Amino acid sequence: MVDWFLVACVLGGAMTLAGCVTLGVCVCILLFLAFIRFAIVPLDCDAVLKFHEVFGKQPESLKGKVVWITGASSGIGAALAVRLARAGARLALSARSVEKLNSVRQQCLGTGGVTEEQVVVVPLDLVQYDQHQAAFNTVLHHFGELDVLVNNAGRSQRGRWEEIHLDVDKELFEVDVFSTIALSRLVCRYFLEQGRCGHFAITSSVAGKFGVPMSGSYTAAKHALHGYFECLRTEKIGRGLAISMVCPGPVVSGLDEACFTDQLEKKLSEKRTGKMMSAERCAELFAVALANHLPETWIAVQPVLIIMYCSQYMPGLTKSVMQLLPLSFILKLRDGRADLNQPAK
């Protein structure tokens, strides 16, 4: 396949020779395209995160820190647990499935970075609010302290905006937003009362930065998380709280199995395909963000990352261009197919 930058160079040279553009304009355009081709396109995360991955603190700087991860039984949460275990962090792992949590715990122990006492399984169904205090007490009793809460639990969604039932909106917000906020408020009071430099990390999504089609409730939930935690960040300036909003794009995970559609009783008919980042690579970058207390990070394969940059810095133009693209193209960027929103019969 011919590199598009080489094609641009040839076209630029031809247009310059033909007198369509001046040499100076052609050089400026090609330099800009060269920056995009060789500096931006190879990235799988935002430039600040990439800088810290190369020159900043490594995940091993978290050795000895107590990190509580919700949604730790699969996907990004499980991969992050293993990466932090290798770095020597002390871990509390929470999710509904004790069997899956024990499996992740064994993987953590297999890294050789932690001992039996440094990884504890704390079963927790986040929407059961009366379990929050007991689970938190278990973490504190086992480790005596907490340094980082990683709010990773949540479910995704595929469904047409106008067809989504209101009970889906309510349940998805219960799972992805309200339960997370309730647990975080509990932990926040602990951080403030203890005078600790506590750290909240939130697994958001590219859907927390711009509108993702066929995921109306999910997009709204991720935007809500940004609203809640950006408010907390501003409100507690000078109190030592660190907040990291982590926004992954398509990642290999188990979300297909627990994905909302437009009705509560319906499941997805197919699985995602296409280009996705591995959970392990996402976890590596997530861990770098934690180690460096980065306020917001974007983790995504191309061209999703470029779209995020354009949406952030050229919102009007990006929205206009998106209107010209077929919906199937946008859906395939995320799922590798355009029919994933169709629920199983």
Side-chain angles (χ1 to χ4, degrees):
M1 182 180 293
V2 179
D3 192 298
W4 62 266
F5 179 69
L6 294 179
V7 175
C9 288
V10 172
L11 289 177
M15 293 177 68
T16 301
L17 292 175
C20 298
V21 295
T22 65
L23 179 61
V25 170
C26 180
V27 170
C28 289
I29 293 175
L30 290 179
L31 286 175
F32 174 74
L33 293 178
F35 174 76
I36 296 296
R37 170 62 182 84
F38 297 105
I40 300 299
V41 170
L43 295 179
D44 57 2
C45 61
D46 66 85
V48 174
L49 178 54
K50 186 63 178 180
F51 175 87
H52 283 88
E53 182 186 19
V54 177
F55 301 107
K57 295 179 180 178
Q58 295 304 299
E60 280 66 28
S61 66
L62 296 169
K63 183 175 182 178
K65 296 290 186 181
V66 178
V67 183
W68 186 9
I69 305 174
T70 66
S73 61
S74 63
I76 296 173
L80 179 62
V82 173
R83 179 62 185 93
L84 293 180
R86 193 162 68 249
R90 295 179 289 167
L91 300 170
L93 309 178
S94 286
R96 290 178 297 175
S97 173
V98 177
E99 181 180 355
K100 291 181 179 179
L101 286 176
N102 283 327
S103 175
V104 174
R105 182 174 184 270
Q106 289 305 312
Q107 294 177 53
C108 291
L109 295 175
T111 66
V114 289
T115 64
E116 292 272 353
E117 294 74 25
Q118 291 176 319
V119 186
V120 61
V121 166
V122 184
L124 175 62
D125 183 349
L126 268 179
V127 297
Q128 301 299 321
Y129 296 98
D130 57 354
Q131 296 180 11
H132 288 192
Q133 186 65 64
F136 189 25
N137 290 344
T138 299
V139 175
L140 292 180
H141 177 74
H142 189 86
F143 293 115
E145 59 184 346
L146 177 65
D147 297 296
V148 185
L149 172 62
V150 178
N151 288 302
N152 177 71
R155 294 172 61 183
S156 189
Q157 179 196 36
R158 301 294 184 271
R160 296 183 183 277
W161 194 93
E162 71 278 11
E163 300 294 337
I164 298 172
H165 291 195
L166 189 59
D167 53 357
V168 173
D169 294 309
K170 291 179 178 179
E171 183 156 334
L172 191 148
F173 262 71
E174 199 75 50
V175 173
D176 287 15
V177 182
F178 300 137
S179 59
T180 290
I181 298 305
L183 181 63
S184 297
R185 283 175 172 157
L186 190 66
V187 173
C188 184
R189 289 193 290 270
Y190 163 79
F191 285 153
L192 295 175
E193 290 168 1
Q194 297 293 315
R196 300 182 66 84
C197 295
H199 189 178
F200 290 103
I202 301 90
T203 303
S204 178
S205 166
V206 298
K209 301 302 294 180
F210 58 84
V212 174
M214 304 299 178
S215 296
S217 314
Y218 180 74
T219 297
K222 293 304 182 182
H223 276 70
L225 287 174
H226 279 261
Y228 271 112
F229 284 98
E230 291 303 336
C231 174
L232 176 62
R233 188 199 308 276
T234 306
E235 184 179 315
K236 304 305 179 186
I237 288 176
R239 300 295 298 275
L241 286 183
I243 296 171
S244 297
M245 303 298 301
V246 181
C247 305
V251 173
V252 177
S253 67
L255 70 79
D256 300 338
E257 302 172 4
C259 188
F260 284 104
T261 59
D262 55 4
Q263 299 180 39
L264 287 178
E265 64 274 12
K266 290 187 177 180
K267 305 296 181 183
L268 289 180
S269 58
E270 304 289 347
K271 292 185 178 296
R272 294 182 301 162
T273 59
K275 187 177 180 182
M276 292 182 283
M277 181 181 291
S278 70
E280 290 73 24
R281 175 57 180 162
C282 182
E284 178 67 31
L285 293 169
F286 201 132
V288 171
L290 288 178
N292 292 278
H293 287 194
L294 299 184
E296 181 172 305
T297 58
W298 305 344
I299 301 172
V301 294
Q302 301 290 8
V304 176
L305 186 63
I306 287 180
I307 294 174
M308 292 185 73
Y309 266 103
C310 292
S311 179
Q312 180 80 4
Y313 298 110
M314 298 181 290
L317 177 61
T318 303
K319 288 178 172 61
S320 297
V321 172
M322 294 289 277
Q323 292 295 318
L324 303 177
L325 299 175
L327 178 60
S328 59
F329 171 79
I330 302 173
L331 293 175
K332 287 178 181 179
L333 287 180
R334 178 183 59 176
D335 297 323
R337 57 196 308 153
D339 61 346
L340 196 62
N341 62 292
Q342 301 297 331
K345 300 297 184 182

